[in-house]
């Protein structure tokens, strides 16, 4: 599990969120909402051991709504 956390932080470290440019933040939010939508979060090997950690449909909707409120867009969503 520690390796998964380290890999995730290399991709995006929310502890350092303020250091990212606003365009980077929007892109990272979009990608962050894509992973749960496609069932890749949390990682499949972890959920095999701990099925209770799977995200519910409500969890996924909450993540996506937060990303959109923060200015992110879902991957594939047209820019308006």
């Amino acid at each position: 599990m520690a390796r998964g956390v380290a890999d995730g932080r290399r991709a995006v470290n929310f502890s350092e969120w303020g250091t990212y440019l606003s365009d980077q933040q929007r892109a990272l939010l979009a990608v962050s909402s894509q992973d749960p939508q496609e069932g890749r979060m949390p990682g499949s090997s972890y959920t095999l051991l701990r099925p209770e950690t799977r995200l519910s449909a409500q969890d996924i909707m909450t993540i996506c709504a937060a990303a959109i409120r923060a200015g992110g867009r879902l991957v594939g969503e047209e820019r308006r």
Side-chain angles (χ1 to χ4, degrees):
M1 188 160 102
R3 189 178 118 221
V5 170
D7 290 346
R9 285 190 179 143
R10 275 194 294 281
V12 59
N13 188 338
F14 288 105
S15 297
E16 298 174 358
W17 188 251
T19 66
Y20 295 118
L21 300 173
S22 60
D23 285 345
Q24 289 174 303
Q25 290 177 349
R26 281 191 292 279
L28 290 168
L29 286 169
V31 172
S32 294
S33 62
Q34 181 183 17
D35 285 345
Q37 285 180 344
E38 295 179 357
R40 293 192 309 249
M41 182 184 152
S44 60
S45 60
Y46 186 70
T47 56
L48 286 175
L49 297 173
R50 302 199 55 148
E52 71 277 7
T53 63
R54 289 188 183 117
L55 296 176
S56 69
Q58 182 62 46
D59 294 334
I60 294 168
M61 287 174 39
T62 300
I63 292 167
C64 294
I68 291 167
R69 276 194 310 275
R73 287 183 173 71
L74 300 181
V75 172
E77 185 178 325
E78 295 287 327
R79 192 161 251 231
R80 296 172 208 188

